[in-house]
Amino acid sequence: MSDAIFNLDAEVRTDLGKGASRRLRHADKVPAILYGGEEAPVSLTLDHNKVINAADFEAFYSHVLTLNIGGKKVEALLKDVQRHPFKPKITHLDFQRVIAGQDVHTSVPIHFINEDKCQAVKDGGIAEHHVNEVEITCLPKDLPEFIEVDMANVEMEQTLHLSDLTLPAGVSSVELAKEDEAHDLAVVTIKPAPKAPAADEAEGEEDDATEE
């Protein structure tokens, strides 16, 4: 993966409003806003083609990005993406400034690994994923692109919770920090596959349908 997807050129825009944003989109530009820290929010414009290419990578949504704004490099996290309801178009981006030495609060994806090696799955179990991302806090330098959940030794009808995950050093779960069992969310459960109806039951249903 090229680091180029984490470096985006942006221009400050002063022409604001719905009409201005519409004109930008027609010119294959993406309106955006950068906020956070002690500086005032800044309205930006980015090249749509570069943004849409970067958006194909999962890491784009959880990696510290570098915005090149008028020769100044600003580190930021992508906080929100607005898309056209049916066209392959990104219509707006929200970025939050990243300040070195200050914790960031964001969500990162979960990668479920070794499901194919899990004996419960081999025996016909189905892994039911309850969540696909986890909310975390950490310093920018410790920000992981994803959290791995190893399924190799999960047993039939066992549920893994947030407290069962191994988080990287320096990374904390936002939910677990609330110190309430209700916030120890279920992450994944292996359940037995639904049983097919017995042959005699299926035949009985067919007979009933015939009589009607």
Side-chain angles (χ1 to χ4, degrees):
M1 185 190 311
S2 171
D3 285 342
I5 70 165
F6 305 131
N7 290 270
L8 295 173
D9 293 331
E11 298 177 358
V12 175
R13 62 187 174 99
T14 55
D15 189 9
L16 307 177
K18 292 184 178 179
S21 294
R22 192 178 302 113
R23 289 191 293 273
L24 285 174
R25 295 180 186 118
H26 286 162
D28 282 332
K29 301 292 184 179
V30 182
I33 187 167
L34 171 67
Y35 59 85
E38 298 181 355
E39 299 181 49
V42 179
S43 296
L44 303 172
T45 302
L46 293 87
D47 182 83
H48 184 269
N49 289 336
K50 291 184 179 179
V51 169
I52 203 72
N53 288 338
D56 285 339
F57 294 89
E58 180 186 58
F60 180 64
Y61 302 90
S62 58
H63 198 281
V64 175
L65 309 173
T66 299
L67 300 178
N68 304 309
I69 308 172
K72 180 182 178 181
K73 295 183 181 299
V74 179
E75 291 191 331
L77 284 175
L78 180 63
K79 300 299 291 185
D80 187 54
V81 180
Q82 296 178 26
R83 298 176 184 271
H84 193 279
F86 57 87
K87 295 180 181 179
K89 289 276 190 179
I90 291 176
T91 58
H92 196 274
L93 299 169
D94 286 13
F95 296 101
Q96 182 178 4
R97 293 184 183 92
V98 169
I99 310 300
Q102 293 185 13
D103 282 349
V104 295
H105 179 160
T106 189
S107 295
V108 295
I110 293 175
H111 286 188
F112 297 92
I113 63 172
N114 292 326
E115 282 192 23
D116 58 334
K117 299 178 181 178
C118 175
Q119 188 59 49
V121 173
K122 291 181 179 179
D123 291 340
I126 297 174
E128 182 177 306
H129 300 164
H130 303 297
V131 295
N132 292 306
E133 60 182 20
V134 58
E135 196 175 2
I136 63 168
T137 58
C138 64
L139 292 174
K141 67 181 182 63
D142 296 324
L143 181 62
E145 292 184 7
F146 54 84
I147 302 295
E148 284 189 345
V149 177
D150 193 343
M151 300 290 295
N153 297 315
V154 183
E155 299 178 353
M156 189 72 77
E157 298 188 345
Q158 179 183 356
T159 296
L160 296 184
H161 293 80
L162 287 177
S163 58
D164 297 310
L165 305 188
T166 301
L167 300 180
V171 177
S172 300
S173 163
V174 171
E175 291 297 322
L176 292 181
K178 297 175 181 177
E179 297 182 352
D180 183 340
E181 288 187 5
H183 296 288
D184 191 8
L185 305 178
V187 175
V188 60
T189 302
I190 296 187
K191 294 185 175 181
K195 293 183 179 179
D200 54 349
E201 292 180 3
E203 290 175 0
E205 292 175 359
E206 290 178 0
D207 292 341
D208 293 340
T210 303
E211 291 176 1
E212 292 177 0

